[in-house]
């Protein structure tokens, strides 16, 4: 079992930045970590993922060049730096763990957290 707790969401103006953090506990070794998001009335979608080693990162086209994912295995943590935020980035962001980065990309994580709200005003 893996438990995930997110923090760092909030309200920001368009063009601004936020940094999301997620702390993982339990049997986290070798899991890829990442972020999914879900806006009201929309399907949950993949945002970014990073392999256990940190040498592979994947991003949704909609956030590529604006968001950066990183992880610190010593702290069992994963981060999402979000820059140049747009109103369409508003959603609940969920930290997730998956067996592979591809599984995260395919929106089939093994575990996910409760989420943190990100609201971008225009």
């Amino acid at each position: 079992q893996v438990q995930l707790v997110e923090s760092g969401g909030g309200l920001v103006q368009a063009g601004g930045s936020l940094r999301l953090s997620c702390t993982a506990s339990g049997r986290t070794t070798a899991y890829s970590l990442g972020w999914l998001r879900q806006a009201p009335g929309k399907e949950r979608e993949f945002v970014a993922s990073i392999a256990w080693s940190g040498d592979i990162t994947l991003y949704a086209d909609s956030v590529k060049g604006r968001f950066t994912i990183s992880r610190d295995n010593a702290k069992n943590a994963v981060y999402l730096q979000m820059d140049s935020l747009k109103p369409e980035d508003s959603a609940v962001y969920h930290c997730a763990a998956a067996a592979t980065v591809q599984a995260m990309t395919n929106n089939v994580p093994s575990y996910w957290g409760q989420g943190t709200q990100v609201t971008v005003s225009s």
Side-chain angles (χ1 to χ4, degrees):
Q1 288 283 349
V2 176
Q3 295 79 41
L4 303 159
V5 178
E6 306 92 340
S7 63
L11 173 64
V12 64
Q13 288 188 330
S17 299
L18 280 175
R19 186 177 189 241
L20 304 183
S21 300
C22 172
T23 300
S25 60
R27 301 183 64 180
T28 61
T29 302
Y31 273 97
S32 294
L33 296 177
W35 296 88
L36 309 173
R37 68 186 182 186
Q38 187 166 20
K42 294 188 177 181
E43 297 285 325
R44 186 179 67 186
E45 64 176 0
F46 164 75
V47 177
S49 61
I50 184 167
W52 167 257
S53 61
D55 61 346
I56 300 174
T57 56
L58 297 174
Y59 296 92
D61 288 342
S62 59
V63 307
K64 204 170 292 183
R66 300 188 297 121
F67 290 10
T68 304
I69 190 170
S70 61
R71 68 187 292 168
D72 184 339
N73 289 340
K75 296 181 179 180
N76 284 334
V78 62
Y79 310 98
L80 187 68
Q81 177 66 40
M82 305 186 295
D83 298 318
S84 301
L85 282 161
K86 305 175 181 180
E88 51 264 42
D89 293 318
S90 297
V92 175
Y93 283 70
H94 297 270
C95 178
T100 65
V101 289
Q102 193 60 50
M104 193 78 69
T105 305
N106 293 336
N107 206 355
V108 284
S110 300
Y111 305 96
W112 57 92
Q114 291 294 315
T116 184
Q117 177 71 48
V118 171
T119 304
V120 184
S121 62
S122 57

